[in-house]
Amino acid sequence: MSSSLKLLGEIRQSSERRPFEVLKLAEPLLNKGSITQAGDEVWLVYEQVFLAAVDEGQIDVAKAVLEILHKRFGEESQRVKRLYGLVSEATGHPEDAKKLYDDMLEKDATNVLANKRLIALLKSQGQYVQAIQELVSYLDTHGNDFEAWLELTHLYLDQHLYPQAAFCIEEVILQQPANHYFHLCYAEISYTTGNLDVALKEYLRVVELSTDNVRGFYGVKLTADRILDITSSRGSGKSKAPSHLKVENAPQKAMLERLSQLATERLLAIYSGSSDAMKKTLEEWLKL
Amino acid sequence: MTEYTVSVQAYAKAVLHCAKHPWATVHGLLLAEKKEGKIRFVDAVPLAHNWTNLTAMFDVALQQAQQYAKTKGLSVCGYYVAYEDTKATQLSASGALLAKTLVEADESTVAFVVDAKKLTPGSSAAAFVPYVYAEPQWKEQSSAFGESGKGSGTKGASFVLENNRVVAVTRKLVDERAEVWVHDFDEHLDDVSLDWLQNQALSERIRTT
């Protein structure tokens, strides 16, 4: 298999959104017909190229690829059908897209692809409340779709509904407890809402689950130091820290100091391979 | 009347940051030189394209950017944001709070929301919508950047691009996909060798365009 096809496969695996690169890799394959080297995966590649093409506004390419997919899978394929909706969305005809998705859902209310596309459409139209309602309703019947819970987390964050977002990311973590990325999201939401004890705990989980996680160690240092400041100033009765900051369940002072020290050491170690300018920036920051 | 000038380096870096993450909300800081009551934004420091409503890494990045600015004799007195919703030109609640953190450290801070409509190929207008702090709110300066009208806001601020090539140069860089040279703090957190404060290769590219 050619290296281009391999790279396209890797991009599909990682679910990264890199439409420009995908099109660049795919163009020669399509022109020379060597895309067929992908064997059975060729249909996945075509779908990937279609999605990249609508992302880049290359509607002619998208339509050409869609025709190939239609020829192969026909009228009955829901997976191909929803791609027509995407063309409508990309060419500024959201009403046509909505009609298609509504029709698909009427024929089959459990159609996941149409449901999700409808929610995305509502979001792109700025109808956030409705998008949230639809997604909540979807999750009533698909409660173990953690990616949907993650999308709901983002929708709530966009609307500054932090407690609701926290609830959703907790659901994601229940289903995917070993993925550090979700703990990181939870840590950052907790920090933002002033739940510093929870934030610290979650940042620690991040560095436990993932090696040399820079965000994680910055988070540990940031929260440990802040908690130390707050508890000491509250103890002396001279605290200027806002009262909503929660530190009750945080570790004791000695442990906090050790955690801060640990984070400092790990950050310095990670940055030792970096440029002088970046190393200096870290060192100055650590002195704060 | 405070005069704010935006240099091509600041403008182009901010717009290229948007170009790199067109489907996400992106935000960053602007660094300025202050001379004789005039404020000139000379550079942009891109911060994030993910979780822009969350404050933890923003706090770290801001502290590091303020330190860096000090070493260069510059001030962090600008905040820019471009929303995922391309129709949004209003500073959001979290944007207002983040910008407020800046204004508490430097009262000449202004915020800019990028107007996506003005980033289209045919447009020659500046795509920044300025917001000036008039406690407790941020007020939009609707007539700014040399459009007709007095450009006066509640605090009497005027905004101008440094010359009439800024938009054209930026467009050229966008067409050349120069956004690959932008590295924000989010990217730095994944790869600490990336210099998100200076983005020197990009600065050089802008200088020679």
Side-chain angles (χ1 to χ4, degrees), chain A residues 56 157 191 271 274 284-285, chain B residues 53 59 63 177 188 192:
Chain A
E56 285 280 319
L157 282 179
Y191 179 90
Y271 272 71
S274 177
E284 288 304 309
W285 182 77
Chain B
N53 282 351
D59 284 351
Q63 285 166 347
R177 301 265 170 178
H188 169 82
V192 297

Side-chain angles (χ1 to χ4, degrees), chain A residues 108-152:
Chain A
D108 174 13
T110 65
N111 188 322
V112 171
L113 288 172
N115 218 331
K116 288 187 173 178
R117 216 42 244 165
L118 186 64
I119 292 164
L121 179 62
L122 288 167
K123 191 177 161 190
S124 73
Q125 297 287 290
Q127 294 172 275
Y128 300 108
V129 173
Q130 238 192 304
I132 289 173
Q133 278 171 353
E134 289 287 339
L135 189 45
V136 167
S137 152
Y138 169 84
L139 282 164
D140 273 342
T141 43
H142 298 89
N144 51 8
D145 184 342
F146 74 88
E147 285 175 343
W149 281 107
L150 192 61
E151 178 62 26
L152 189 54

Side-chain angles (χ1 to χ4, degrees), chain A residues 53-116:
Chain A
V54 288
D55 236 346
E56 285 280 319
Q58 305 257 15
I59 307 301
D60 293 334
V61 175
K63 283 184 175 170
V65 173
L66 188 47
E67 232 191 271
I68 297 171
L69 285 167
H70 188 120
K71 259 207 202 110
R72 168 67 181 82
F73 294 100
E75 280 295 322
E76 288 318 303
S77 166
Q78 300 300 296
R79 192 159 166 175
V80 171
K81 209 161 179 186
R82 116 260 190 202
L83 299 181
Y84 283 98
L86 276 162
V87 174
S88 298
E89 286 188 60
T91 51
H93 298 291
E95 346 68 51
D96 292 343
K98 184 161 194 301
K99 186 162 185 310
L100 176 69
Y101 303 141
D102 282 339
D103 281 348
M104 287 171 77
L105 284 168
E106 230 190 84
K107 293 210 182 80
D108 174 13
T110 65
N111 188 322
V112 171
L113 288 172
N115 218 331
K116 288 187 173 178

Side-chain angles (χ1 to χ4, degrees), chain B residues 59-109:
Chain B
D59 284 351
V60 175
L62 177 58
Q63 285 166 347
Q64 294 191 359
Q66 282 167 333
Q67 278 167 213
Y68 165 76
K70 217 161 145 204
T71 65
K72 300 278 172 182
L74 301 172
S75 314
V76 178
C77 55
Y79 169 77
Y80 72 86
V81 58
Y83 294 109
E84 176 183 340
D85 177 356
T86 51
K87 296 187 238 39
T89 54
Q90 272 234 318
L91 190 62
S92 74
S94 58
L97 274 170
L98 296 177
K100 185 153 168 270
T101 326
L102 270 73
V103 90
E104 280 164 0
D106 185 328
E107 60 171 17
S108 55
T109 298

Side-chain angles (χ1 to χ4, degrees), chain A residues 10-30:
Chain A
E10 282 167 18
I11 296 175
R12 277 198 312 277
Q13 255 307 85
S14 70
S15 312
E16 283 177 283
R17 198 166 171 175
R18 289 154 66 174
F20 182 62
E21 274 173 86
V22 167
L23 286 180
K24 242 171 73 182
L25 288 166
E27 208 188 311
L29 295 174
L30 287 167

